[in-house]
C-alpha cells in the first residue's frame, strides 16, 4: 500500500483543537465521534455537517444505540452542538471550539 499523501486530501485542524481533544478525558468512542465530526466539517471547509447517527455509527464501526448515547453525552458536555433539532431530520452537527463551555 502506498503511504498517505497530502495530494490525496487532508483536514486542517488547529493545534489548539487537537491539544484540547487529546488532553480531555473522552472515552474511545467519543474520540472517534469527534474525529469523524472534524473530518466532515473542517475537512470540507465548513463549520457544520448533516450527519445521521447511522452514518456516524457506520463510520466509526460502533453499535448505533451506543453511538447515539455517546453523541448525547458529548452534547451534554457542550463539546458538540446540534443545530437541527426537529425529529426525523438529520442533525446538523458542529464542534464547539469555545472550550470554556465544555463541562
Amino acid at each position: 500500500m502506498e503511504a498517505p499523501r497530502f495530494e490525496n486530501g487532508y483536514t486542517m485542524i488547529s493545534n489548539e483543537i487537537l491539544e484540547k481533544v487529546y488532553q480531555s478525558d473522552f472515552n474511545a468512542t467519543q474520540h472517534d465521534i469527534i474525529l469523524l465530526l472534524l473530518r466532515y466539517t473542517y475537512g470540507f471547509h465548513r463549520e457544520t455537517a448533516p450527519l445521521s447517527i447511522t452514518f456516524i455509527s457506520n463510520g466509526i464501526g460502533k453499535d448505533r444505540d451506543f453511538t447515539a448515547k455517546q453523541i448525547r453525552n458529548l452534547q451534554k458536555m457542550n463539546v458538540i452542538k446540534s443545530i437541527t433539532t426537529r425529529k426525523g431530520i438529520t442533525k446538523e452537527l458542529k464542534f464547539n471550539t469555545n472550550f470554556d463551555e465544555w463541562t
Side-chain angles (χ1 to χ4, degrees), residues 9-40:
Y10 60 93
T11 301
M12 287 183 59
I13 302 171
S14 75
N15 291 334
E16 188 177 8
I17 290 174
L18 287 176
E19 290 167 1
K20 184 65 175 178
V21 170
Y22 70 67
Q23 290 171 353
S24 297
D25 194 24
F26 299 119
N27 67 36
T29 300
Q30 291 168 342
H31 268 134
D32 291 346
I33 292 167
I34 290 167
L35 289 174
L36 184 138
L37 178 59
L38 291 171
R39 167 68 179 99
Y40 284 93

Side-chain angles (χ1 to χ4, degrees), residues 62-84:
K62 300 283 172 45
D63 175 74
R64 186 187 185 286
D65 291 336
F66 184 69
T67 299
K69 179 181 178 184
Q70 296 308 312
I71 290 170
R72 285 191 303 273
N73 289 340
L74 287 167
Q75 288 174 317
K76 287 176 187 172
M77 296 177 342
N78 290 319
V79 176
I80 63 175
K81 294 186 176 193
S82 178
I83 307 305
T84 309

